[in-house]
Amino acid sequence: MICLTLAEPTLERAKEKVQKNREYIDLCELRLDYLDEKEQKMASHFPSMVDLPVILTFRRVQDGGHTQISEKSRRAILFQALDGDFSYVDIEEDVKKSEIEDKAREKGIRIIRSLHDFEKIPDDIFSKIFHMAEKGDIAKVAVTPRSFLDVLTLFRAEEELKGVEKIVIGMGEYGVCTRILYKRLGSLLTFASDEEVAPGQISAHKLKVEYMADQVNERTAIYGIIGNPVMHSASPLLHNRGFHAINFNAIYVPFLVDNVRSFFMFAEYFKMRGFSVTVPFKVDVLSYLGNVTREVKQIGSCNTVVRVPGMWKGINTDYYGFIKPIMNDIESGRIKNALVIGAGGASQAIVWALRNYGVKVTILNRTLSRAENIARLNLCDYDSIENASSYSGSVDLIVQTTSVGLYPDVNQNPIEGFKFTGSEIVYDIIYKPRMTKLLEEAGKAGCTLHFGSEMLIEQGKLQFEAFTGYHYPRWVDPGL
Ligand code: NAP
């Protein structure tokens, strides 16, 4: 079930939020600690204002609540609100047997016994959950993983506590995957909100439409992307849309990872068939691969890992993703020489791809030694980015691979003042924004433009093929 957390000052506003999200949610949680004082007194009416089950919660400040109030008053408000037809009431695990509990049991309102930890995962989390659920209540733990290994611990909840009714949530960025894959942790529900009421919460629309999180079952294949940071990635949208379109029982999830080894443990635990790799792990994964393609070997980095019999295999789809949009121009001879701005990870794959097709390359970079390294490996020229203007009029293709101009610094251009003749093909691999400052200037001069989103889509489609064995469905908009 997807549960919308309502953190609104009035019941009417809470009702509007429910209506706005109605098609994505199965139940909602009314947070009394966000309601205005006089609205708190009328909270018992709320279940009759909406057409779905409601959880009643008055969170204490130490558990992430919004209002500082005496414990006596908090309990009095909760007690009064229980006159309403709530389906569940949240009671913290350290609250001793109380009149609230008695009233809830009398009225047949299910109790959610909750525990919050904003610092860590408690050592004895599984025995805690077991005891919290002992009286037939639903145990809820919202805890904070500090590493991906902690995340793995939470995912073991289902195996350790089979049959126990529970809600297990990892808060913060590491925990986002536990909110999406809640069913694989054996959680009864996942919480959603439009404005991140708790750290790491995502919207109900995303959970229901993008991830189809409520459709996950024990046979659903888990795919994903590992990176740090990773939450900005556009890949989940592309892959999930593709999976849904061909009715492939799979989900693609962003995993914030601090250590590649712990992710390979996760991948083995869930028998993953593949995953994408982004910065800074494209080199770290190499030592876990039993087999790599020629491109991975030569470029020295891998952005796609797939399971083959007995081992993991590494592929580099950045290489093909980059070259495909300009392939015709290379094959026709329109592109004979190129200027590649930047000498980072992406540049490495791009220079190798261009050289592989016989294009003469000059690499320009701020840090000359990095340009020199790539140039040496690929038998090409290099120079300082400060000398960019001296290449004006002498190249067919300009590829921009630095992070300069990337959102939010959208007004920056790494080769400011460069004179385009209008005959160049200019390719910026940044995909957010689509039209970078550099492309805007090149476009004004009449150059042919290529966008980072083209590369992203092409490399993603190839990953999709490697993951599923099917072509990316032609009729699907990958959302980039
Ligand atoms: P990276 O390895 O960190 O390399 C960053 C590059 O940017 C280096 O050449 C660095 O120069 C340069 N740079 C950074 N700040 C600079 C500044 N202020 N002035 C001049 N140069 C600067 O990153 P990467 O993995 O290659 O990714 C680079 C960009 O490509 C990112 O924006 C990424 O989103 C994009 N990308 C797009 C796709 C796609 O599918 N469209 C795929 C991969 C990457 P120094 O060496 O001097 O530090």
Side-chain angles (χ1 to χ4, degrees):
M1 295 190 288
I2 297 176
C3 177
L4 183 70
T5 301
L6 299 167
E8 300 297 327
T10 66
L11 296 175
E12 207 45 52
R13 289 262 296 268
K15 180 182 164 183
E16 282 164 20
K17 262 280 155 67
V18 169
Q19 284 166 341
K20 182 177 156 231
N21 284 279
R22 187 63 190 91
E23 60 190 299
Y24 316 128
I25 58 176
D26 305 290
L27 73 166
C28 63
E29 178 192 36
L30 182 67
R31 287 281 295 267
L32 296 185
D33 48 307
Y34 279 86
L35 281 181
D36 293 343
E37 219 176 305
K38 72 174 196 317
E39 295 275 327
Q40 287 173 345
K41 298 200 170 81
M42 298 188 301
S44 61
H45 299 292
F46 190 69
S48 62
M49 292 167 65
V50 292
D51 63 340
L52 76 187
V54 187
I55 302 174
L56 176 66
T57 301
F58 196 139
R59 191 67 66 234
R60 302 176 299 197
V61 169
Q62 75 251 38
D63 297 316
H66 189 63
T67 311
Q68 190 74 51
I69 186 174
S70 76
E71 182 57 10
K72 196 168 159 216
S73 309
R74 184 181 83 101
R75 290 195 193 185
I77 293 166
L78 260 177
F79 186 81
Q80 189 189 351
L82 276 178
D83 287 340
D85 285 332
F86 288 94
S87 302
Y88 306 88
V89 61
D90 184 303
I91 304 178
E92 293 78 6
E93 56 100 38
D94 59 343
V95 171
K96 298 277 173 287
K97 192 167 175 333
S98 65
E99 64 290 353
I100 300 168
E101 186 177 330
D102 293 340
K103 187 168 176 178
R105 293 205 195 284
E106 226 169 76
K107 293 191 68 180
I109 298 173
R110 294 289 313 274
I111 293 173
I112 298 176
R113 203 50 88 166
S114 68
L115 167 89
H116 294 80
D117 194 323
F118 290 88
E119 304 276 307
K120 60 180 188 315
I121 296 185
D123 286 341
D124 48 353
I125 184 158
F126 296 137
S127 67
K128 278 202 156 76
I129 295 174
F130 189 77
H131 290 304
M132 284 158 70
E134 242 172 10
K135 281 197 217 158
D137 299 338
I138 300 162
K140 174 192 163 188
V141 291
V143 294
T144 308
R146 289 181 299 192
S147 66
F148 196 77
L149 204 56
D150 279 351
V151 172
L152 191 53
T153 303
L154 294 181
F155 272 99
R156 283 183 28 238
E158 180 55 350
E159 192 180 69
E160 298 280 333
L161 296 157
K162 248 196 163 55
V164 174
E165 269 192 301
K166 59 191 172 303
I167 302 165
V168 180
I169 301 160
M171 293 190 287
E173 265 198 57
Y174 281 117
V176 169
C177 56
T178 68
R179 295 182 183 276
I180 299 169
L181 291 170
Y182 72 100
K183 287 182 118 182
R184 297 301 280 267
L185 283 87
S187 283
L188 190 68
L189 57 89
T190 188
F191 290 94
S193 68
D194 293 341
E195 52 285 288
E196 197 172 329
V197 180
Q201 250 179 18
I202 52 183
S203 74
H205 175 269
K206 242 183 171 184
L207 284 169
K208 179 87 178 181
V209 180
E210 182 177 333
Y211 292 107
M212 292 173 87
D214 56 335
Q215 305 288 310
V216 169
N217 56 37
E218 66 280 3
R219 289 182 308 283
T220 304
I222 300 173
Y223 294 89
I225 177 162
I226 63 167
N228 195 337
V230 73
M231 292 308 157
H232 64 281
S233 171
S235 296
L237 198 58
L238 180 144
H239 288 287
N240 285 318
R241 284 190 177 182
F243 293 155
H244 302 159
I246 62 165
N247 285 325
F248 195 75
N249 185 5
I251 185 167
Y252 185 101
V253 179
F255 293 101
L256 180 73
V257 165
D258 55 333
N259 169 300
V260 168
R261 188 183 187 132
S262 52
F263 189 78
F264 273 95
M265 286 161 70
F266 177 91
E268 291 295 345
Y269 186 78
F270 280 113
K271 300 191 170 35
M272 286 180 78
R273 298 184 210 159
F275 56 92
S276 316
V277 184
T278 188
V279 178
F281 300 122
K282 288 184 180 182
V283 177
D284 291 14
V285 292
L286 295 179
S287 46
Y288 296 87
L289 307 175
N291 187 351
V292 293
T293 59
R294 191 169 65 100
E295 291 80 24
V296 170
K297 226 179 251 170
Q298 305 234 353
I299 299 163
S301 83
C302 161
N303 76 329
T304 311
V305 175
V306 290
R307 186 188 287 279
V308 293
M311 64 182 76
W312 294 103
K313 178 179 177 181
I315 304 172
N316 193 312
T317 66
D318 280 340
Y319 167 95
Y320 294 103
F322 164 74
I323 211 84
K324 197 163 176 215
I326 54 170
M327 197 52 148
N328 287 342
D329 289 315
I330 291 178
E331 284 180 344
S332 70
R334 185 175 169 205
I335 297 175
K336 290 201 177 66
N337 51 51
L339 202 56
V340 174
I341 322 287
S347 165
Q348 236 167 301
I350 285 168
V351 171
W352 196 76
L354 290 169
R355 293 295 294 134
N356 217 19
Y357 284 92
V359 177
K360 188 172 173 299
V361 173
T362 303
I363 307 163
L364 304 185
N365 198 42
R366 179 180 60 178
T367 310
L368 206 57
S369 58
R370 292 184 84 188
E372 185 184 358
N373 284 343
I374 302 180
R376 195 165 21 85
L377 290 171
N378 292 282
L379 308 176
C380 50
D381 296 326
Y382 66 94
D383 201 345
S384 164
I385 197 168
E386 288 171 9
N387 300 331
S389 57
S390 63
Y391 294 87
S392 174
S394 66
V395 289
D396 310 314
L397 170 72
I398 297 169
V399 189
Q400 197 305 107
T401 77
T402 75
S403 41
V404 181
L406 184 65
Y407 178 84
D409 300 316
V410 296
N411 285 321
Q412 292 184 11
N413 172 355
I415 49 167
E416 191 73 57
F418 185 89
K419 295 265 177 303
F420 297 100
T421 63
S423 63
E424 299 93 346
I425 295 171
V426 182
Y427 195 158
D428 195 330
I429 69 160
I430 284 178
Y431 56 87
K432 198 174 176 189
R434 182 170 190 273
M435 182 63 90
T436 58
K437 179 102 184 298
L438 173 103
L439 285 178
E440 206 176 285
E441 282 167 22
K444 276 185 206 151
C447 300
T448 305
L449 308 184
H450 283 285
F451 301 90
S453 52
E454 296 174 65
M455 173 175 171
L456 190 67
I457 290 171
E458 290 306 332
Q459 67 80 27
K461 286 180 175 175
L462 277 166
Q463 280 188 336
F464 187 87
E465 218 169 293
F467 290 156
T468 65
Y470 296 102
H471 289 304
Y472 194 81
R474 280 178 187 280
W475 64 93
V476 172
D477 167 10
L480 301 166

